[in-house]
Amino acid sequence: MPDRIVSIDIETTGADPQAGDKIIEIGAIEMIDLEVTQNIFHQYVNPTFPISEFLSSITGITAEFLLSQPHFSSVASNLLEFISDSPLLSSNISFDMRFLNHELSGLGLSNLAQHEIIDLLKLSRDHFPREPANLDYYVNKFDIKTDEKETRGTIVDATITALVFKKCFSITSDI
């Protein structure tokens, strides 16, 4: 197991970056030796177009708020610096990687294809095939405590992903 892993989560305007959907929030937390540290990267991102009221109701992020946030081009280098060469952990990581790589490639920056990826969704399906493969289920199953569990946001989701991964790793040490 690598010493440092970055658990990452994003919020987007939709499901398809090829159709013009954009990242609106990025949250990443550092794990050292499977322990969550206080080292985080968090940034809201202006998608350059107004988001729908429906999306605002789901994420709690408003179109007006995003107008004052930087564009992805202004935060990309800080994100890449935070990630460094660490493996990336997420639940359904293919979704996050598709968006991140699309945005990075659009800026002419190296994408994250060279990074080791750890998909908690795939691991949970492989190691617990008869159980639902969602974070809420595993938070309850493993009695994971986080003060912010009831709130939304990428930092909360990245933290929960890291804590579920740690618990799964301790149960199934072959991950």
Side-chain angles (χ1 to χ4, degrees), residues 29-91:
I29 64 158
E30 175 185 69
M31 294 179 76
I32 302 288
D33 297 327
L34 294 179
E35 294 297 327
V36 174
T37 73
Q38 297 299 311
N39 192 13
I40 67 168
F41 176 91
H42 182 249
Q43 183 65 60
Y44 292 99
V45 179
N46 182 337
T48 68
F49 56 84
I51 64 171
S52 70
E53 287 186 29
F54 175 73
L55 182 59
S56 289
S57 72
I58 293 171
T59 63
I61 302 169
T62 66
E64 295 76 26
F65 172 75
L66 290 176
L67 287 174
S68 66
Q69 300 304 307
H71 297 141
F72 186 83
S73 60
S74 298
V75 302
S77 61
N78 290 338
L79 175 63
L80 291 174
E81 183 179 320
F82 181 84
I83 292 170
S84 184
D85 60 352
S86 298
L88 297 172
L89 165 68
S90 187
S91 186

Side-chain angles (χ1 to χ4, degrees), residues 9 12 28 31 39 72 79 109 124 135 155 170:
D9 186 61
T12 65
M31 294 179 76
N39 192 13
F72 186 83
L79 175 63
L109 297 172
S124 62
L135 287 180
I155 287 297
S170 68

Side-chain angles (χ1 to χ4, degrees), residues 2 4 14-15 55 59 84 95 97 101 103 117 120 134 144 148:
R4 182 178 192 263
L55 182 59
T59 63
S84 184
F95 179 86
M97 294 294 282
N101 285 334
E103 295 271 10
I117 58 168
L120 187 61
N134 68 62
I144 292 174
E148 301 167 326

